[in-house]
Amino acid sequence: MKKLLVVVDMQNDFVTGALGTKEAVLIVPNVIKKIEAELENQTEVIFTKDTHQENYLSTQEGRNLPIIHCVKNTKGWELIPELSGYEVTNKVIEKPTFGSTRLAHHVANGHYDEVELIGLCTDICVISNAMIIKAVDTETVIKVDSSCCAGVTPESHQNALEAMRMCQIVVE
């Protein structure tokens, strides 16, 4: 079985920085355990990085979420320290917004049997990427490990999980 693990936006600004939450901090051990297990099984792993520029506040997203975060080449943009080193040996996809068409095309061209997503935030970037992947690759099994995800709030995390279930994404 050909599998891909997508680690969504496990960056400093989403864990302990500008948009960090206690729920995000709490999933870090689960995320590390999942990545290590999948690498041991020789699963391909891709990391996404929310990537903004200095002009973030003048963008549509910046006007709607006026909290500067994940500006390229800042500490907040980097993967959390617990994941340092992984991006050297695994693919990293920078994405300027919630979902990545580049990631979706990688999945569609990769002929995977299963794609699993983990990371942050369940209710914004995880759900966006899961839905885009589902749209371009309708027969690949898409999974989300809820123990390795956190949302903006616990309620929005649960709402996103339920929405994904309704769209035939397997939520574990």
Side-chain angles (χ1 to χ4, degrees), residues 11 14 19 49-57 59 61-62 65 67-74 77 94-98:
Q11 295 162 269
F14 291 124
L19 295 171
K49 288 173 97 174
D50 193 41
T51 303
H52 301 296
Q53 305 303 318
E54 294 292 331
N55 70 336
Y56 172 75
L57 291 176
T59 66
E61 181 181 329
L65 177 63
I67 300 170
I68 297 173
H69 65 283
C70 297
V71 173
K72 188 170 182 161
N73 298 322
T74 64
W77 175 74
E94 295 178 13
K95 54 186 194 53
T97 190
F98 311 130

PDB file of all heavy atoms in Angstrom, residues 11 14 19 49-57 59 61-62 65 67-74 77 94-98:
ATOM      1  N   GLN A  11       4.000  24.760  12.834  1.00  0.00           N
ATOM      2  CA  GLN A  11       4.937  25.875  12.919  1.00  0.00           C
ATOM      3  C   GLN A  11       4.823  26.579  14.259  1.00  0.00           C
ATOM      4  O   GLN A  11       3.779  26.545  14.915  1.00  0.00           O
ATOM      5  CB  GLN A  11       4.653  26.858  11.769  1.00  0.00           C
ATOM      6  CG  GLN A  11       4.916  26.257  10.398  1.00  0.00           C
ATOM      7  CD  GLN A  11       4.247  27.036   9.295  1.00  0.00           C
ATOM      8  OE1 GLN A  11       3.103  26.719   8.937  1.00  0.00           O
ATOM      9  NE2 GLN A  11       4.927  28.024   8.754  1.00  0.00           N
ATOM     10  N   PHE A  14       1.780  28.680  15.223  1.00  0.00           N
ATOM     11  CA  PHE A  14       0.522  27.980  15.488  1.00  0.00           C
ATOM     12  C   PHE A  14       0.550  27.147  16.762  1.00  0.00           C
ATOM     13  O   PHE A  14      -0.500  26.683  17.217  1.00  0.00           O
ATOM     14  CB  PHE A  14       0.133  27.083  14.313  1.00  0.00           C
ATOM     15  CG  PHE A  14      -0.269  27.843  13.083  1.00  0.00           C
ATOM     16  CD1 PHE A  14       0.377  27.625  11.881  1.00  0.00           C
ATOM     17  CD2 PHE A  14      -1.282  28.781  13.125  1.00  0.00           C
ATOM     18  CE1 PHE A  14       0.015  28.318  10.744  1.00  0.00           C
ATOM     19  CE2 PHE A  14      -1.660  29.482  11.997  1.00  0.00           C
ATOM     20  CZ  PHE A  14      -1.006  29.251  10.797  1.00  0.00           C
ATOM     21  N   LEU A  19      -0.529  32.656  17.115  1.00  0.00           N
ATOM     22  CA  LEU A  19      -1.835  31.990  17.051  1.00  0.00           C
ATOM     23  C   LEU A  19      -1.831  30.654  17.805  1.00  0.00           C
ATOM     24  O   LEU A  19      -2.685  29.802  17.568  1.00  0.00           O
ATOM     25  CB  LEU A  19      -2.250  31.780  15.590  1.00  0.00           C
ATOM     26  CG  LEU A  19      -2.500  33.069  14.803  1.00  0.00           C
ATOM     27  CD1 LEU A  19      -2.680  32.770  13.316  1.00  0.00           C
ATOM     28  CD2 LEU A  19      -3.697  33.816  15.346  1.00  0.00           C
ATOM     29  N   LYS A  49       3.922  24.389   5.134  1.00  0.00           N
ATOM     30  CA  LYS A  49       4.239  25.568   5.938  1.00  0.00           C
ATOM     31  C   LYS A  49       3.386  26.739   5.441  1.00  0.00           C
ATOM     32  O   LYS A  49       3.504  27.136   4.280  1.00  0.00           O
ATOM     33  CB  LYS A  49       5.722  25.922   5.824  1.00  0.00           C
ATOM     34  CG  LYS A  49       6.640  24.945   6.547  1.00  0.00           C
ATOM     35  CD  LYS A  49       8.092  25.243   6.265  1.00  0.00           C
ATOM     36  CE  LYS A  49       8.692  26.060   7.371  1.00  0.00           C
ATOM     37  NZ  LYS A  49      10.157  26.224   7.173  1.00  0.00           N
ATOM     38  N   ASP A  50       2.553  27.234   6.329  1.00  0.00           N
ATOM     39  CA  ASP A  50       1.823  28.461   6.048  1.00  0.00           C
ATOM     40  C   ASP A  50       2.895  29.518   5.816  1.00  0.00           C
ATOM     41  O   ASP A  50       3.799  29.673   6.640  1.00  0.00           O
ATOM     42  CB  ASP A  50       0.949  28.812   7.257  1.00  0.00           C
ATOM     43  CG  ASP A  50      -0.074  29.882   6.972  1.00  0.00           C
ATOM     44  OD1 ASP A  50      -0.677  29.850   5.887  1.00  0.00           O
ATOM     45  OD2 ASP A  50      -0.288  30.731   7.851  1.00  0.00           O
ATOM     46  N   THR A  51       2.821  30.206   4.687  1.00  0.00           N
ATOM     47  CA  THR A  51       3.914  31.106   4.317  1.00  0.00           C
ATOM     48  C   THR A  51       3.368  32.448   3.852  1.00  0.00           C
ATOM     49  O   THR A  51       2.709  32.524   2.813  1.00  0.00           O
ATOM     50  CB  THR A  51       4.783  30.470   3.209  1.00  0.00           C
ATOM     51  OG1 THR A  51       5.278  29.207   3.685  1.00  0.00           O
ATOM     52  CG2 THR A  51       5.955  31.373   2.856  1.00  0.00           C
ATOM     53  N   HIS A  52       3.648  33.469   4.642  1.00  0.00           N
ATOM     54  CA  HIS A  52       3.226  34.822   4.300  1.00  0.00           C
ATOM     55  C   HIS A  52       4.438  35.715   4.094  1.00  0.00           C
ATOM     56  O   HIS A  52       5.550  35.369   4.485  1.00  0.00           O
ATOM     57  CB  HIS A  52       2.326  35.393   5.402  1.00  0.00           C
ATOM     58  CG  HIS A  52       1.101  34.561   5.632  1.00  0.00           C
ATOM     59  ND1 HIS A  52       0.123  34.392   4.679  1.00  0.00           N
ATOM     60  CD2 HIS A  52       0.712  33.815   6.693  1.00  0.00           C
ATOM     61  CE1 HIS A  52      -0.817  33.592   5.145  1.00  0.00           C
ATOM     62  NE2 HIS A  52      -0.484  33.219   6.371  1.00  0.00           N
ATOM     63  N   GLN A  53       4.177  36.861   3.505  1.00  0.00           N
ATOM     64  CA  GLN A  53       5.231  37.836   3.242  1.00  0.00           C
ATOM     65  C   GLN A  53       5.047  39.042   4.168  1.00  0.00           C
ATOM     66  O   GLN A  53       4.070  39.129   4.908  1.00  0.00           O
ATOM     67  CB  GLN A  53       5.172  38.271   1.769  1.00  0.00           C
ATOM     68  CG  GLN A  53       5.243  37.115   0.774  1.00  0.00           C
ATOM     69  CD  GLN A  53       6.472  36.238   0.913  1.00  0.00           C
ATOM     70  OE1 GLN A  53       7.581  36.729   1.106  1.00  0.00           O
ATOM     71  NE2 GLN A  53       6.278  34.924   0.831  1.00  0.00           N
ATOM     72  N   GLU A  54       5.966  39.968   4.090  1.00  0.00           N
ATOM     73  CA  GLU A  54       5.940  41.166   4.940  1.00  0.00           C
ATOM     74  C   GLU A  54       4.651  41.977   4.759  1.00  0.00           C
ATOM     75  O   GLU A  54       4.224  42.678   5.664  1.00  0.00           O
ATOM     76  CB  GLU A  54       7.151  42.053   4.658  1.00  0.00           C
ATOM     77  CG  GLU A  54       8.485  41.424   5.044  1.00  0.00           C
ATOM     78  CD  GLU A  54       8.658  41.264   6.550  1.00  0.00           C
ATOM     79  OE1 GLU A  54       8.086  42.057   7.319  1.00  0.00           O
ATOM     80  OE2 GLU A  54       9.380  40.335   6.947  1.00  0.00           O
ATOM     81  N   ASN A  55       4.029  41.881   3.592  1.00  0.00           N
ATOM     82  CA  ASN A  55       2.812  42.644   3.306  1.00  0.00           C
ATOM     83  C   ASN A  55       1.547  41.931   3.774  1.00  0.00           C
ATOM     84  O   ASN A  55       0.443  42.260   3.334  1.00  0.00           O
ATOM     85  CB  ASN A  55       2.711  42.939   1.810  1.00  0.00           C
ATOM     86  CG  ASN A  55       2.427  41.676   0.994  1.00  0.00           C
ATOM     87  OD1 ASN A  55       2.726  40.556   1.411  1.00  0.00           O
ATOM     88  ND2 ASN A  55       1.861  41.867  -0.181  1.00  0.00           N
ATOM     89  N   TYR A  56       1.665  40.959   4.658  1.00  0.00           N
ATOM     90  CA  TYR A  56       0.542  40.127   5.082  1.00  0.00           C
ATOM     91  C   TYR A  56      -0.704  40.937   5.430  1.00  0.00           C
ATOM     92  O   TYR A  56      -1.809  40.601   4.996  1.00  0.00           O
ATOM     93  CB  TYR A  56       0.943  39.240   6.274  1.00  0.00           C
ATOM     94  CG  TYR A  56      -0.233  38.507   6.855  1.00  0.00           C
ATOM     95  CD1 TYR A  56      -0.793  37.415   6.199  1.00  0.00           C
ATOM     96  CD2 TYR A  56      -0.821  38.908   8.048  1.00  0.00           C
ATOM     97  CE1 TYR A  56      -1.896  36.746   6.716  1.00  0.00           C
ATOM     98  CE2 TYR A  56      -1.922  38.240   8.573  1.00  0.00           C
ATOM     99  CZ  TYR A  56      -2.456  37.167   7.904  1.00  0.00           C
ATOM    100  OH  TYR A  56      -3.552  36.519   8.410  1.00  0.00           O
ATOM    101  N   LEU A  57      -0.572  42.000   6.200  1.00  0.00           N
ATOM    102  CA  LEU A  57      -1.747  42.759   6.642  1.00  0.00           C
ATOM    103  C   LEU A  57      -2.496  43.429   5.494  1.00  0.00           C
ATOM    104  O   LEU A  57      -3.664  43.769   5.639  1.00  0.00           O
ATOM    105  CB  LEU A  57      -1.351  43.793   7.694  1.00  0.00           C
ATOM    106  CG  LEU A  57      -0.915  43.204   9.045  1.00  0.00           C
ATOM    107  CD1 LEU A  57      -0.459  44.317   9.987  1.00  0.00           C
ATOM    108  CD2 LEU A  57      -2.028  42.383   9.674  1.00  0.00           C
ATOM    109  N   THR A  59      -3.046  41.857   2.635  1.00  0.00           N
ATOM    110  CA  THR A  59      -3.670  40.797   1.840  1.00  0.00           C
ATOM    111  C   THR A  59      -5.101  40.564   2.327  1.00  0.00           C
ATOM    112  O   THR A  59      -5.481  41.001   3.415  1.00  0.00           O
ATOM    113  CB  THR A  59      -2.879  39.480   1.962  1.00  0.00           C
ATOM    114  OG1 THR A  59      -2.973  38.994   3.310  1.00  0.00           O
ATOM    115  CG2 THR A  59      -1.418  39.669   1.567  1.00  0.00           C
ATOM    116  N   GLU A  61      -6.402  37.791   3.407  1.00  0.00           N
ATOM    117  CA  GLU A  61      -6.354  37.053   4.671  1.00  0.00           C
ATOM    118  C   GLU A  61      -5.949  37.970   5.822  1.00  0.00           C
ATOM    119  O   GLU A  61      -6.537  37.922   6.905  1.00  0.00           O
ATOM    120  CB  GLU A  61      -5.375  35.878   4.584  1.00  0.00           C
ATOM    121  CG  GLU A  61      -5.325  35.073   5.875  1.00  0.00           C
ATOM    122  CD  GLU A  61      -4.354  33.914   5.851  1.00  0.00           C
ATOM    123  OE1 GLU A  61      -4.126  33.316   4.776  1.00  0.00           O
ATOM    124  OE2 GLU A  61      -3.822  33.595   6.925  1.00  0.00           O
ATOM    125  N   GLY A  62      -4.965  38.806   5.586  1.00  0.00           N
ATOM    126  CA  GLY A  62      -4.486  39.718   6.628  1.00  0.00           C
ATOM    127  C   GLY A  62      -5.539  40.721   7.069  1.00  0.00           C
ATOM    128  O   GLY A  62      -5.596  41.097   8.245  1.00  0.00           O
ATOM    129  N   LEU A  65      -7.892  38.429   9.154  1.00  0.00           N
ATOM    130  CA  LEU A  65      -7.226  37.892  10.343  1.00  0.00           C
ATOM    131  C   LEU A  65      -5.985  38.749  10.584  1.00  0.00           C
ATOM    132  O   LEU A  65      -4.876  38.401  10.189  1.00  0.00           O
ATOM    133  CB  LEU A  65      -6.828  36.418  10.134  1.00  0.00           C
ATOM    134  CG  LEU A  65      -6.044  35.754  11.279  1.00  0.00           C
ATOM    135  CD1 LEU A  65      -6.865  35.704  12.561  1.00  0.00           C
ATOM    136  CD2 LEU A  65      -5.587  34.368  10.863  1.00  0.00           C
ATOM    137  N   ILE A  67      -3.573  39.326  12.395  1.00  0.00           N
ATOM    138  CA  ILE A  67      -2.529  38.900  13.330  1.00  0.00           C
ATOM    139  C   ILE A  67      -1.373  38.402  12.478  1.00  0.00           C
ATOM    140  O   ILE A  67      -1.497  37.371  11.784  1.00  0.00           O
ATOM    141  CB  ILE A  67      -3.032  37.788  14.273  1.00  0.00           C
ATOM    142  CG1 ILE A  67      -4.218  38.293  15.100  1.00  0.00           C
ATOM    143  CG2 ILE A  67      -1.896  37.296  15.175  1.00  0.00           C
ATOM    144  CD1 ILE A  67      -4.935  37.224  15.886  1.00  0.00           C
ATOM    145  N   ILE A  68      -0.274  39.123  12.499  1.00  0.00           N
ATOM    146  CA  ILE A  68       0.873  38.739  11.690  1.00  0.00           C
ATOM    147  C   ILE A  68       1.395  37.395  12.189  1.00  0.00           C
ATOM    148  O   ILE A  68       1.655  37.208  13.382  1.00  0.00           O
ATOM    149  CB  ILE A  68       1.968  39.820  11.749  1.00  0.00           C
ATOM    150  CG1 ILE A  68       1.447  41.126  11.147  1.00  0.00           C
ATOM    151  CG2 ILE A  68       3.230  39.351  11.022  1.00  0.00           C
ATOM    152  CD1 ILE A  68       2.376  42.303  11.300  1.00  0.00           C
ATOM    153  N   HIS A  69       1.537  36.460  11.250  1.00  0.00           N
ATOM    154  CA  HIS A  69       2.021  35.126  11.599  1.00  0.00           C
ATOM    155  C   HIS A  69       2.661  34.476  10.379  1.00  0.00           C
ATOM    156  O   HIS A  69       2.367  34.820   9.243  1.00  0.00           O
ATOM    157  CB  HIS A  69       0.875  34.239  12.125  1.00  0.00           C
ATOM    158  CG  HIS A  69      -0.168  33.951  11.093  1.00  0.00           C
ATOM    159  ND1 HIS A  69      -1.127  34.873  10.724  1.00  0.00           N
ATOM    160  CD2 HIS A  69      -0.375  32.847  10.341  1.00  0.00           C
ATOM    161  CE1 HIS A  69      -1.892  34.350   9.791  1.00  0.00           C
ATOM    162  NE2 HIS A  69      -1.455  33.116   9.531  1.00  0.00           N
ATOM    163  N   CYS A  70       3.558  33.548  10.652  1.00  0.00           N
ATOM    164  CA  CYS A  70       4.194  32.714   9.627  1.00  0.00           C
ATOM    165  C   CYS A  70       4.778  33.510   8.466  1.00  0.00           C
ATOM    166  O   CYS A  70       4.664  33.111   7.299  1.00  0.00           O
ATOM    167  CB  CYS A  70       3.225  31.638   9.133  1.00  0.00           C
ATOM    168  SG  CYS A  70       2.747  30.479  10.429  1.00  0.00           S
ATOM    169  N   VAL A  71       5.408  34.632   8.797  1.00  0.00           N
ATOM    170  CA  VAL A  71       6.097  35.406   7.766  1.00  0.00           C
ATOM    171  C   VAL A  71       7.397  34.669   7.436  1.00  0.00           C
ATOM    172  O   VAL A  71       8.172  34.300   8.330  1.00  0.00           O
ATOM    173  CB  VAL A  71       6.377  36.850   8.234  1.00  0.00           C
ATOM    174  CG1 VAL A  71       7.231  37.600   7.234  1.00  0.00           C
ATOM    175  CG2 VAL A  71       5.056  37.581   8.477  1.00  0.00           C
ATOM    176  N   LYS A  72       7.601  34.422   6.150  1.00  0.00           N
ATOM    177  CA  LYS A  72       8.737  33.622   5.681  1.00  0.00           C
ATOM    178  C   LYS A  72      10.042  34.083   6.308  1.00  0.00           C
ATOM    179  O   LYS A  72      10.324  35.277   6.396  1.00  0.00           O
ATOM    180  CB  LYS A  72       8.818  33.666   4.158  1.00  0.00           C
ATOM    181  CG  LYS A  72       9.837  32.707   3.592  1.00  0.00           C
ATOM    182  CD  LYS A  72       9.735  32.602   2.103  1.00  0.00           C
ATOM    183  CE  LYS A  72      10.767  31.582   1.620  1.00  0.00           C
ATOM    184  NZ  LYS A  72      10.441  31.096   0.306  1.00  0.00           N
ATOM    185  N   ASN A  73      10.818  33.097   6.717  1.00  0.00           N
ATOM    186  CA  ASN A  73      12.151  33.290   7.301  1.00  0.00           C
ATOM    187  C   ASN A  73      12.154  33.912   8.691  1.00  0.00           C
ATOM    188  O   ASN A  73      13.184  34.406   9.139  1.00  0.00           O
ATOM    189  CB  ASN A  73      13.070  34.069   6.352  1.00  0.00           C
ATOM    190  CG  ASN A  73      13.301  33.321   5.057  1.00  0.00           C
ATOM    191  OD1 ASN A  73      13.438  32.092   5.051  1.00  0.00           O
ATOM    192  ND2 ASN A  73      13.316  34.039   3.958  1.00  0.00           N
ATOM    193  N   THR A  74      11.010  33.886   9.381  1.00  0.00           N
ATOM    194  CA  THR A  74      10.977  34.318  10.780  1.00  0.00           C
ATOM    195  C   THR A  74      10.902  33.071  11.658  1.00  0.00           C
ATOM    196  O   THR A  74      10.612  31.970  11.181  1.00  0.00           O
ATOM    197  CB  THR A  74       9.764  35.218  11.084  1.00  0.00           C
ATOM    198  OG1 THR A  74       8.557  34.441  10.902  1.00  0.00           O
ATOM    199  CG2 THR A  74       9.737  36.451  10.184  1.00  0.00           C
ATOM    200  N   TRP A  77       7.605  31.197  11.499  1.00  0.00           N
ATOM    201  CA  TRP A  77       7.384  30.453  10.258  1.00  0.00           C
ATOM    202  C   TRP A  77       8.004  29.061  10.309  1.00  0.00           C
ATOM    203  O   TRP A  77       7.562  28.140   9.616  1.00  0.00           O
ATOM    204  CB  TRP A  77       7.958  31.262   9.104  1.00  0.00           C
ATOM    205  CG  TRP A  77       7.944  30.625   7.760  1.00  0.00           C
ATOM    206  CD1 TRP A  77       6.865  30.441   6.937  1.00  0.00           C
ATOM    207  CD2 TRP A  77       9.077  30.115   7.054  1.00  0.00           C
ATOM    208  NE1 TRP A  77       7.263  29.846   5.763  1.00  0.00           N
ATOM    209  CE2 TRP A  77       8.621  29.638   5.804  1.00  0.00           C
ATOM    210  CE3 TRP A  77      10.435  30.023   7.339  1.00  0.00           C
ATOM    211  CZ2 TRP A  77       9.469  29.077   4.859  1.00  0.00           C
ATOM    212  CZ3 TRP A  77      11.280  29.468   6.400  1.00  0.00           C
ATOM    213  CH2 TRP A  77      10.789  28.994   5.172  1.00  0.00           C
ATOM    214  N   GLU A  94       5.458  25.028   0.780  1.00  0.00           N
ATOM    215  CA  GLU A  94       5.019  26.319   1.313  1.00  0.00           C
ATOM    216  C   GLU A  94       3.692  26.649   0.652  1.00  0.00           C
ATOM    217  O   GLU A  94       3.516  26.454  -0.542  1.00  0.00           O
ATOM    218  CB  GLU A  94       6.050  27.400   1.002  1.00  0.00           C
ATOM    219  CG  GLU A  94       7.374  27.174   1.690  1.00  0.00           C
ATOM    220  CD  GLU A  94       8.420  28.221   1.337  1.00  0.00           C
ATOM    221  OE1 GLU A  94       8.068  29.277   0.750  1.00  0.00           O
ATOM    222  OE2 GLU A  94       9.593  27.979   1.654  1.00  0.00           O
ATOM    223  N   LYS A  95       2.756  27.153   1.476  1.00  0.00           N
ATOM    224  CA  LYS A  95       1.446  27.499   0.927  1.00  0.00           C
ATOM    225  C   LYS A  95       1.062  28.898   1.399  1.00  0.00           C
ATOM    226  O   LYS A  95       1.148  29.197   2.576  1.00  0.00           O
ATOM    227  CB  LYS A  95       0.407  26.453   1.290  1.00  0.00           C
ATOM    228  CG  LYS A  95       0.285  26.163   2.751  1.00  0.00           C
ATOM    229  CD  LYS A  95      -0.670  25.002   2.987  1.00  0.00           C
ATOM    230  CE  LYS A  95      -1.060  24.943   4.434  1.00  0.00           C
ATOM    231  NZ  LYS A  95      -1.591  26.140   5.041  1.00  0.00           N
ATOM    232  N   PRO A  96       0.629  29.742   0.488  1.00  0.00           N
ATOM    233  CA  PRO A  96       0.305  31.125   0.834  1.00  0.00           C
ATOM    234  C   PRO A  96      -1.088  31.308   1.420  1.00  0.00           C
ATOM    235  O   PRO A  96      -1.456  32.408   1.818  1.00  0.00           O
ATOM    236  CB  PRO A  96       0.426  31.859  -0.503  1.00  0.00           C
ATOM    237  CG  PRO A  96       0.056  30.818  -1.516  1.00  0.00           C
ATOM    238  CD  PRO A  96       0.580  29.514  -0.957  1.00  0.00           C
ATOM    239  N   THR A  97      -1.847  30.233   1.468  1.00  0.00           N
ATOM    240  CA  THR A  97      -3.197  30.313   1.998  1.00  0.00           C
ATOM    241  C   THR A  97      -3.555  28.980   2.643  1.00  0.00           C
ATOM    242  O   THR A  97      -2.710  28.113   2.801  1.00  0.00           O
ATOM    243  CB  THR A  97      -4.200  30.713   0.892  1.00  0.00           C
ATOM    244  OG1 THR A  97      -5.462  31.016   1.487  1.00  0.00           O
ATOM    245  CG2 THR A  97      -4.352  29.634  -0.154  1.00  0.00           C
ATOM    246  N   PHE A  98      -4.810  28.800   2.979  1.00  0.00           N
ATOM    247  CA  PHE A  98      -5.248  27.652   3.770  1.00  0.00           C
ATOM    248  C   PHE A  98      -4.940  26.303   3.117  1.00  0.00           C
ATOM    249  O   PHE A  98      -4.358  25.426   3.715  1.00  0.00           O
ATOM    250  CB  PHE A  98      -6.746  27.743   4.065  1.00  0.00           C
ATOM    251  CG  PHE A  98      -7.173  29.080   4.599  1.00  0.00           C
ATOM    252  CD1 PHE A  98      -8.243  29.752   4.031  1.00  0.00           C
ATOM    253  CD2 PHE A  98      -6.504  29.678   5.654  1.00  0.00           C
ATOM    254  CE1 PHE A  98      -8.640  30.988   4.529  1.00  0.00           C
ATOM    255  CE2 PHE A  98      -6.894  30.906   6.160  1.00  0.00           C
ATOM    256  CZ  PHE A  98      -7.974  31.566   5.589  1.00  0.00           C
TER     257      PHE A  98
END
